[in-house]
Amino acid sequence: MHIQLNGESFELPDGQTVEELISRLDLAGRRVAVELNLDIVPRSQHGSTALRDGDRVEVVHAIGGG
C-alpha cells in the first residue's frame, strides 16, 4: 500500500499499524507525535491503529537541545 508520509510517497505492506511504521522508521522508543489524516493518534493507540492505502501521516519526533 502507499501512504503519504511527511508529504512524501511511502510504501508499506498491507495491514501495518502506526506502531510498525514508527519501528520501520527507527523511531521506536523515542518521543514522537503522529497525525493520521489530520487527527492526532494517541501513543496508547499506536499498536491498534491500522494504516490504509492513501492515508496521510505526519510523524514528528522531539529533539532536545539547549
Side-chain angles (χ1 to χ4, degrees):
M1 79 176 146
H2 290 86
I3 63 170
Q4 287 290 317
L5 176 62
N6 295 341
E8 301 288 329
S9 181
F10 194 83
E11 189 169 341
L12 289 171
D14 289 341
Q16 293 280 284
T17 64
V18 169
E19 183 175 68
E20 291 167 325
L21 173 62
I22 291 170
S23 179
R24 180 179 288 260
L25 298 173
D26 292 326
L27 296 174
R30 296 189 187 182
R31 292 174 42 149
V32 297
V34 179
E35 181 182 281
L36 174 59
N37 299 323
L38 303 178
D39 291 320
I40 298 295
V41 180
R43 181 182 298 269
S44 63
Q45 295 178 15
H46 286 183
S48 62
T49 301
L51 298 170
R52 294 182 176 88
D53 192 54
D55 279 346
R56 295 176 59 200
V57 181
E58 296 288 328
V59 177
V60 179
H61 57 95
I63 299 175

